[in-house]
Amino acid sequence: MRSRNNGGDVEQVTYPTRRRGVALVTFEDAQVVERVLKKDQHLLQDHRLPRPFPLTVTRYCHNAFLWVRSTLNMAVFRDHLVLEDLVEEMKKQSPDLSFGPLQRDGQIAVQGSFPALRGLREFLLLKAKSLSEEDSREGKSLQRPRRKLQEHRGAAEMRNSPQEALTEKQVLVLDTDIYHYMKCFLPRVLQGSGVVISGVTDGDITTVCIESPGSKAGAAQGAKAKKMIENHSVELQKILRKERIRFKEHSRAEKQRYRQLWERLRARYPGVLVIPYDTHFDLVGTSVDVFGFTEEVKRLSR
C-alpha cells in the first residue's frame, strides 16, 4: 500500500476469509492503521481490473472483547500464603492486567483482556492445586480447600466432596457477551446430552456450571460438554466484534424508536446479537455485520 494514500508496509494479507468478499490486512506499523481508518474513501485499483472498486475499511479485532473486569476472592489462600506476596506474584505473572488495591476481606479487582484473565485463572488454579497436594502430604482433608476454591469465580474444574458424589460438577468461565451469543445462536452447545448446564452472570464474566451423574460415564459426558463449550468460545473470540451505541436521550420514546430500528435490521443482519441496556445497547457479531448494522442505525436515526 502506498504511503501517499495513507498506507504503509503490509505484513500479511489473509484472503479468502470466512466472510465472502472480506480480506484481512495486517500492517507492520500500528500508526498506519490509524491513518488508513481516517481516510474517507478507499478504492481497489489494479491494471487487471476493469475499473476501480470502492472498499469498506473497518478495524478488525482478533479478540473482540478486549477489556473485562473481575473481582477475585483471594481469601481462599489466606491460610497458606501472605496475600500481599501472592498479589505481587500475580502482577509479575500477568503484567498486561491492571490490579486494584487488595481489600481487607481478601477481594481484589482485576481488569484487562479476557485471554489475560484466563491465563491468570490458570495460574491461580495451579497454585491452589499445589497447596492442596501439600495438605494431602500432611494428612489434611482435601474437602475444605476444594470447597473454598468454589468461592473463587475463576475456578475452572472441581470434583465434588464424598457427600456430593451423586453428581459431578465442572465449572468454566466465559466472557458474558460470548455466553449470550452462544445462548442465542448456538443453544445446543449449552444443552449437552445427559448433563445440566447453567450460567451465573456477574458483569463481564459468566460462570458456567456443568452437572453430570457421578459415574464414569457421567464424568465423560461432563468433560465432553465442557470441551465443546470451550472450543466454541475460542472460535467465537476469533470472529466476533462488539460495538456499543449509546442513547442520545434516555426517554422511553427514544428506546422504542431504537427497538423498531433493530426489528427492521434484524432480517438483514440475522447474525447480530442486540443486547439492550438502560443507557446504551451492544451489538455482537462478525466485523462486517456489526459495521453494517451500526452504519444503518446511524443513518436511520438521524
Side-chain angles (χ1 to χ4, degrees), residues 85-116:
D85 293 343
L86 178 58
V87 170
E88 290 302 315
E89 190 175 353
M90 290 162 55
K91 291 179 179 179
K92 293 179 181 178
Q93 177 71 22
S94 305
D96 294 333
L97 293 176
S98 176
F99 294 82
L102 180 65
Q103 304 299 320
R104 290 186 176 181
D105 59 1
Q107 295 194 11
I108 185 171
V110 184
Q111 59 183 5
S113 71
F114 188 74

Side-chain angles (χ1 to χ4, degrees), residues 30-225:
Q31 294 181 353
V32 174
V33 177
E34 303 304 324
R35 293 204 303 266
V36 170
L37 292 173
K38 289 179 180 179
K39 188 176 179 181
D40 295 331
Q41 185 182 38
H42 293 271
L43 295 174
L44 177 61
Q45 296 177 300
D46 191 278
H47 67 277
R48 293 168 292 184
L49 299 176
R51 60 180 177 82
F53 289 89
L55 295 176
T56 298
V57 178
T58 62
R59 187 189 304 275
Y60 176 78
C61 209
H62 180 72
N63 181 1
F65 309 98
L66 292 177
W67 202 257
V68 293
R69 180 177 305 190
S70 178
T71 301
L72 305 181
N73 184 4
M74 307 304 298
V76 297
F77 295 100
R78 179 167 280 155
D79 293 342
H80 304 274
L81 301 169
V82 177
L83 295 188
E84 289 77 7
D85 293 343
L86 178 58
V87 170
E88 290 302 315
E89 190 175 353
M90 290 162 55
K91 291 179 179 179
K92 293 179 181 178
Q93 177 71 22
S94 305
D96 294 333
L97 293 176
S98 176
F99 294 82
L102 180 65
Q103 304 299 320
R104 290 186 176 181
D105 59 1
Q107 295 194 11
I108 185 171
V110 184
Q111 59 183 5
S113 71
F114 188 74
L117 280 172
R118 187 191 295 271
L120 178 62
R121 178 201 67 180
E122 297 299 329
F123 166 75
L124 291 174
L125 282 174
L126 289 174
K127 180 72 69 175
K129 182 179 179 181
S130 65
L131 293 174
S132 296
E133 291 174 350
E134 289 179 7
D135 284 349
S136 179
R137 286 193 295 269
E138 295 172 3
K140 295 182 179 180
S141 170
L142 290 175
Q143 180 178 345
R144 183 165 170 255
R146 281 184 177 173
R147 284 178 177 271
K148 281 190 173 184
L149 186 60
Q150 292 178 356
E151 298 173 10
H152 183 261
R153 58 189 298 179
E157 296 184 37
M158 292 173 289
R159 298 291 183 183
N160 293 343
S161 61
Q163 292 82 352
E164 298 173 333
L166 295 178
T167 60
E168 183 83 10
K169 289 184 180 180
Q170 299 192 61
V171 177
L172 59 100
V173 176
L174 299 178
D175 177 278
T176 294
D177 292 315
I178 286 183
Y179 172 75
H180 286 316
Y181 193 90
M182 198 180 295
K183 194 174 182 180
C184 180
F185 296 107
L186 301 168
R188 291 186 179 181
V189 177
L190 299 174
Q191 299 171 359
S193 175
V195 299
V196 177
I197 301 176
S198 58
V200 177
T201 296
D202 184 4
D204 296 319
I205 289 180
T206 294
T207 302
V208 178
C209 179
I210 304 170
E211 298 185 59
S212 58
S215 61
K216 187 175 181 179
Q221 289 176 326
K224 181 180 179 181

